[in-house]
Amino acid sequence: MAEIDIDAPAARVWDVLTSPDELKQVWFGAEVETDWQVGSPITWTGEWEGKPYQDKGEILAVEPERQLRLTHFSPLTGQPDTPDNYHTLTYTLTGNTHLKLEQDNNNSEAEANHSQSMWQTQLEKAKQAAESGG
């Protein structure tokens, strides 16, 4: 789990989490494609440490300015593309404005620690984007 307080309204934070231009900053330069409808696919296309990749998932829940839940799979893990290797990412916005990101299905404590570090960086990027006003 990663969490952060952001000095911006929930509407602005939501925009950062769902706008293709903003997401490129938040998702480490990846192009994010989806229509944000429940059941729709989502893909992240980019380059990580010199390797091109395309992560994928599915939109599970969309509650504007409150919660976004989706699955995520990255072939960079080296694991097979099977349902048990997907993580569920849940972004929750509360108050004025607290953003929390939870991930399930970690295979090990090391994987959980790596993910937490990466997601904390992502939330810091979302905070910077939201507070700068775009």
Side-chain angles (χ1 to χ4, degrees):
M1 180 177 71
E3 50 190 326
I4 199 164
D5 289 314
I6 300 174
D7 187 19
R12 174 67 188 130
V13 177
W14 184 259
D15 188 50
V16 167
L17 294 176
T18 58
S19 159
D21 292 338
E22 302 278 8
L23 281 171
K24 191 165 187 168
Q25 294 176 53
V26 174
W27 278 93
F28 311 100
E31 295 283 342
V32 181
E33 293 185 40
T34 186
D35 64 7
W36 300 112
Q37 300 299 309
V38 172
S40 291
I42 182 170
T43 59
W44 298 265
T45 305
E47 193 173 288
W48 182 260
E49 296 179 349
K51 292 181 188 173
Y53 70 89
Q54 185 174 66
D55 292 0
K56 62 183 182 173
E58 179 183 333
I59 305 300
L60 300 177
V62 178
E63 294 178 54
E65 301 179 27
R66 296 198 46 191
Q67 187 181 81
L68 180 61
R69 197 166 74 245
L70 51 102
T71 61
H72 176 254
F73 171 77
S74 177
L76 293 176
T77 63
Q79 297 172 328
D81 182 358
T82 57
D84 56 336
N85 288 323
Y86 281 67
H87 300 286
T88 299
L89 303 178
T90 304
Y91 295 84
T92 306
L93 292 129
T94 55
N96 206 7
T97 298
H98 185 76
L99 177 59
K100 179 169 68 173
L101 171 55
E102 297 171 278
Q103 173 184 303
D104 73 358
N105 201 25
N106 293 303
N107 290 321
S108 67
E109 191 172 329
E111 182 181 338
N113 290 340
H114 170 76
S115 293
Q116 183 190 10
S117 172
M118 188 171 73
W119 298 140
Q120 192 65 46
T121 299
Q122 184 188 64
L123 295 188
E124 288 165 11
K125 289 175 181 286
K127 175 184 172 77
Q128 289 169 356
E131 290 179 353
S132 71

